């Protein structure tokens, strides 16, 4: 594996991600922010953060696969959520869990969650981008 995920002593352990990733591969993969679109460009899960989160993670997995990578190769995730507040965390985690069940893996690379005012279209509640490293 090109990625080693670490929770260093002295930093809190977070269930949904690791604090550090160490990359040792030769190919970088940058996945554009993925939103809750299906293959035809239709929004999936309008108004449902969990459903949109699941679709975003599945779309990231599809993009990674096209580059010969998977979530095991992801060094960093950036997540933007419209009108973020901590009470939305259960919906976000539900969507990640549903995507994890489909993918057969739990994506836990370092992640940054940012609240934003809006995304590309009003129906989109979340966007997820990834950086991966492949041997």
């Amino acid at each position: 594996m090109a990625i080693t995920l670490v929770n260093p002593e002295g930093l809190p352990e977070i269930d949904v991600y690791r604090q550090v990733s160490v990359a040792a591969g030769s190919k970088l993969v940058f996945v554009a922010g993925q939103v809750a679109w299906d293959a035809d460009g239709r929004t999936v899960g309008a108004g449902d953060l969990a459903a949109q989160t699941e679709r975003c993670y599945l779309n990231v997995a599809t993009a990674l696969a096209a580059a010969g990578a998977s979530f095991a190769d992801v060094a960093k995730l950036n997540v933007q959520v419209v009108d973020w507040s901590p009470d939305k965390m259960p919906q976000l985690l539900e969507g990640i869990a549903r995507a994890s069940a489909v993918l057969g893996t739990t994506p836990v690379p370092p992640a940054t969650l940012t609240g934003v005012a809006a995304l590309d279209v009003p129906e989109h509640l979340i966007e997820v981008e990834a950086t991966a490293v492949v041997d």
Side-chain angles (χ1 to χ4, degrees):
M1 282 292 154
I3 303 294
T4 302
L5 300 177
V6 180
N7 271 324
E9 186 174 323
L11 294 177
E13 287 194 28
I14 309 296
D15 290 341
V16 295
Y17 65 88
R18 301 300 175 262
Q19 296 283 5
V20 176
S21 67
V22 179
S26 59
K27 178 170 76 169
L28 294 175
V29 178
F30 298 94
V31 176
Q34 296 299 303
V35 293
W37 274 333
D38 66 12
D40 296 319
R42 291 183 298 253
T43 298
V44 173
D48 183 343
L49 181 58
Q52 288 199 18
T53 300
E54 177 184 12
R55 186 57 190 222
C56 288
Y57 275 75
L58 295 177
N59 287 351
V60 167
T62 298
L64 289 167
S70 72
F71 268 103
D73 302 304
V74 173
K76 179 75 167 69
L77 290 173
N78 290 313
V79 180
Q80 295 85 37
V81 180
V82 173
D83 296 325
W84 174 257
S85 61
D87 64 307
K88 293 183 179 181
M89 185 62 80
Q91 296 169 355
L92 179 71
L93 295 177
E94 178 186 335
I96 293 170
R98 289 175 9 193
S100 296
V102 171
L103 297 170
T105 186
T106 301
V108 292
T112 299
L113 172 62
T114 306
V116 296
L119 291 170
D120 58 335
V121 297
E123 295 83 21
H124 292 161
L125 304 175
I126 182 171
E127 184 170 327
V128 180
E129 65 178 278
T131 302
V133 180
V134 182
D135 284 328

